[in-house]
Amino acid sequence: MNIAHVEPLAMRWPRGGRSAFIRITAEDGTFGLGEASPMYDGRASLSIITDLAQHLVGADPLDSGVIQDTLFHRAIKLGPDGALAGALAAIDIALWDLKGKLLGKPIYKLLGGAWRTELPFYASIGGNGVRGVEEVVAEVEAWMNAIDPSMVKIRFDADKTTRDADIEGDIAKATAVRELVGDGFPLAFDSNNGYSVQGAIRVGRALEQLGYTWFEEPVQSYHKANFEKVASAIDVPVAAGEQEYTLAGVQALIDAGVGIIQADIVKTGGFTGLCHMAALTRAAGVDFVPHQTQPVIGHIANMHFVATLLHSHSPVEYSDRSGRQDEVFSNPPRPKGGRFALTDAPGLGLQINEAAFDACILGQS
Ligand code: CA
């Protein structure tokens, strides 16, 4: 059963936001859905998918690994990072969804089986750099009350052109959140590349005292040696990897002492890419806790992958509870009792309302 159609889809949601999807349809009409990183609405990745589509038509979706390496090397001079990696991610996720539907199996089964199909999650709460201390506490409290997460991460969404803008304020917010949730509740802190080495070490020592589980992207992603300086100076584990797209990039973080790798399924090669990275992290004995911000396809794909990971102690990331894509999916993922549950439905297990879905495709509504 070969591929008949490839559609890069710029999606516009009625209640706000855009997404970069792909639909790959087999000769019998069965289709798989994928998603690319939403940076600048994923337009660069969608453009690359348009160029690569000619090489997918007629191919066997079961050859997803060969397809990925073929397309990667065909387009490698675009640069192996960023938009190309996002395009390959979207294609790969759609191929695995399609493979699952053709074979009648959920993706986690095709990956070798799930250690667990009910997954705890952490609330990934952004925008805290511009909030006051009391506003941060109120925001965290709202998330805790609404969805009962197993862990909370506060993100500062720093302007990457400045450093150490408000270290005292950041520590005050981290302290207030600890007081809100109490000792022992898992917390993570994400500076979004906001500090110098010295600033990061200062914040990291405070996070140690406050019992934070990890310190995410303390320094600029491209300063690998600075990760090593920070990681070697503090006891709280350093997390990073959402801005890595290649095995070499992940290996550099591991070599720098990063203890939690966070490569993202919609940014870097989909299931195929993350499986390769999982092997690296397993060989090094570091944790793999993938980054993930998208509410439906990205989130479900990430959970199928995480379900198959050995020694996966951390909850999955959940950052968008807006429900802005609910109109087009009949069964969008929703947490229940502090968990997301995967079913044994084929592929990703998502059902779409086709008329509503098509109405959100830019250029078709
Ligand atoms: Ca992050």
Side-chain angles (χ1 to χ4, degrees):
M1 186 65 63
N2 292 337
I3 295 167
H5 302 292
V6 177
E7 301 163 272
L9 303 173
M11 308 297 291
R12 178 173 56 195
W13 308 114
R15 286 187 279 138
R18 297 189 179 190
S19 301
F21 286 2
I22 178 175
R23 181 163 51 193
I24 299 180
T25 306
E27 290 157 334
D28 69 349
T30 309
F31 65 86
L33 293 174
E35 177 166 23
S37 169
M39 184 61 66
Y40 288 104
D41 302 329
R43 286 191 299 274
S45 290
L46 290 175
S47 172
I48 293 170
I49 291 169
T50 301
D51 289 335
L52 295 177
Q54 60 183 307
H55 306 297
L56 286 160
V57 173
D60 182 346
L62 297 180
D63 291 338
S64 52
V66 173
I67 288 170
Q68 175 152 138
D69 273 335
T70 301
L71 298 182
F72 175 72
H73 289 95
R74 190 175 282 278
I76 194 167
K77 287 187 178 177
L78 291 172
D81 295 332
L84 173 57
L88 296 177
I91 291 167
D92 190 77
I93 294 168
L95 288 175
W96 280 87
D97 187 31
L98 177 55
K99 289 197 297 182
K101 289 176 178 172
L102 292 173
L103 298 170
K105 297 291 181 187
I107 292 172
Y108 62 79
K109 280 283 184 193
L110 302 184
L111 290 170
W115 292 95
R116 63 203 78 78
T117 54
E118 292 199 359
L119 294 106
F121 63 92
Y122 73 83
S124 179
I125 305 171
N128 295 302
V130 295
R131 293 191 181 108
V133 174
E134 289 177 8
E135 291 172 307
V136 171
V137 169
E139 184 72 11
V140 172
E141 196 165 26
W143 276 77
M144 299 277 288
N145 291 335
I147 57 171
D148 192 20
S150 299
M151 173 176 169
V152 164
K153 180 169 88 182
I154 49 173
R155 311 195 320 256
F156 286 76
D157 303 310
D159 172 357
K160 291 178 172 50
T161 64
T162 64
R163 295 190 310 189
D164 302 342
D166 185 16
I167 287 178
E168 287 302 323
D170 296 349
I171 293 173
K173 293 169 191 174
T175 304
V177 171
R178 169 53 76 205
E179 288 169 358
L180 170 72
V181 300
D183 290 343
F185 186 86
L187 289 172
F189 182 102
D190 183 358
S191 93
N192 299 98
N193 319 101
Y195 302 125
S196 66
V197 170
Q198 293 74 21
I201 291 172
R202 196 168 147 210
V203 172
R205 287 184 176 146
L207 297 177
E208 273 177 26
Q209 295 300 314
L210 293 166
Y212 273 62
T213 300
W214 77 65
F215 186 7
E216 182 167 327
E217 293 204 307
V219 293
Q220 291 284 4
S221 62
Y222 43 76
H223 285 151
K224 298 293 188 294
N226 286 352
F227 278 97
E228 186 164 11
K229 291 172 186 168
V230 175
S232 62
I234 61 175
D235 288 339
V236 60
V238 172
E242 68 179 89
Q243 298 182 71
E244 298 304 331
Y245 305 88
T246 64
L247 288 170
V250 170
Q251 185 65 53
L253 288 180
I254 293 171
D255 291 343
V258 170
I260 298 169
I261 295 296
Q262 298 176 299
D264 184 320
I265 199 164
V266 304
K267 292 183 174 184
T268 179
F271 292 100
T272 302
L274 258 56
C275 283
H276 294 162
M277 291 177 179
L280 269 188
T281 61
R282 186 165 169 178
V286 301
D287 286 348
F288 193 10
V289 186
H291 174 268
Q292 181 49 229
T293 61
Q294 297 311 294
V296 180
I297 294 179
H299 184 51
I300 288 260
N302 184 49
M303 289 194 290
H304 275 267
F305 174 75
V306 170
T308 69
L309 279 179
L310 176 68
H311 298 158
S312 176
H313 308 296
S314 297
V316 294
E317 182 163 18
Y318 184 50
S319 72
D320 185 346
R321 61 186 175 96
S322 67
R324 62 194 166 92
Q325 298 181 16
D326 284 8
E327 284 82 359
V328 307
F329 292 101
S330 311
N331 58 345
R334 281 282 170 273
K336 199 172 172 186
R339 297 261 191 288
F340 284 94
L342 293 171
T343 72
D344 59 2
L348 291 168
L350 279 170
Q351 295 160 6
I352 65 169
N353 173 346
E354 290 199 29
F357 187 94
D358 288 350
C360 292
I361 299 171
L362 259 179
Q364 293 192 23
S365 54

PDB file of all heavy atoms in Angstrom, residues 144 236 242 244 290:
ATOM      1  N   MET A 144      -2.821  24.147  39.050  1.00  0.00           N
ATOM      2  CA  MET A 144      -2.906  23.029  40.008  1.00  0.00           C
ATOM      3  C   MET A 144      -4.364  22.637  40.230  1.00  0.00           C
ATOM      4  O   MET A 144      -4.708  21.454  40.258  1.00  0.00           O
ATOM      5  CB  MET A 144      -2.285  23.439  41.350  1.00  0.00           C
ATOM      6  CG  MET A 144      -0.813  23.818  41.290  1.00  0.00           C
ATOM      7  SD  MET A 144       0.307  22.431  41.361  1.00  0.00           S
ATOM      8  CE  MET A 144       0.164  21.911  43.060  1.00  0.00           C
ATOM      9  N   VAL A 236      21.682  20.479  41.355  1.00  0.00           N
ATOM     10  CA  VAL A 236      20.400  20.258  40.673  1.00  0.00           C
ATOM     11  C   VAL A 236      20.684  19.908  39.213  1.00  0.00           C
ATOM     12  O   VAL A 236      21.532  20.531  38.570  1.00  0.00           O
ATOM     13  CB  VAL A 236      19.487  21.505  40.817  1.00  0.00           C
ATOM     14  CG1 VAL A 236      20.113  22.735  40.228  1.00  0.00           C
ATOM     15  CG2 VAL A 236      18.123  21.268  40.196  1.00  0.00           C
ATOM     16  N   GLU A 242      15.811  21.072  23.709  1.00  0.00           N
ATOM     17  CA  GLU A 242      14.703  21.449  22.820  1.00  0.00           C
ATOM     18  C   GLU A 242      15.206  22.225  21.613  1.00  0.00           C
ATOM     19  O   GLU A 242      14.455  22.415  20.661  1.00  0.00           O
ATOM     20  CB  GLU A 242      13.652  22.259  23.574  1.00  0.00           C
ATOM     21  CG  GLU A 242      14.130  23.620  24.011  1.00  0.00           C
ATOM     22  CD  GLU A 242      13.045  24.400  24.751  1.00  0.00           C
ATOM     23  OE1 GLU A 242      12.936  24.267  25.975  1.00  0.00           O
ATOM     24  OE2 GLU A 242      12.324  25.133  24.071  1.00  0.00           O
ATOM     25  N   GLU A 244      18.056  21.253  20.043  1.00  0.00           N
ATOM     26  CA  GLU A 244      18.989  20.343  19.365  1.00  0.00           C
ATOM     27  C   GLU A 244      18.212  19.515  18.348  1.00  0.00           C
ATOM     28  O   GLU A 244      17.108  19.057  18.624  1.00  0.00           O
ATOM     29  CB  GLU A 244      19.686  19.429  20.367  1.00  0.00           C
ATOM     30  CG  GLU A 244      20.535  20.162  21.377  1.00  0.00           C
ATOM     31  CD  GLU A 244      21.599  21.056  20.759  1.00  0.00           C
ATOM     32  OE1 GLU A 244      22.075  20.750  19.647  1.00  0.00           O
ATOM     33  OE2 GLU A 244      21.952  22.065  21.385  1.00  0.00           O
ATOM     34  N   PRO A 290      11.365  14.269  26.822  1.00  0.00           N
ATOM     35  CA  PRO A 290      11.176  15.124  25.659  1.00  0.00           C
ATOM     36  C   PRO A 290      10.371  16.388  25.950  1.00  0.00           C
ATOM     37  O   PRO A 290       9.420  16.378  26.724  1.00  0.00           O
ATOM     38  CB  PRO A 290      10.414  14.219  24.679  1.00  0.00           C
ATOM     39  CG  PRO A 290      10.787  12.841  25.064  1.00  0.00           C
ATOM     40  CD  PRO A 290      10.917  12.884  26.564  1.00  0.00           C
TER      41      PRO A 290
END
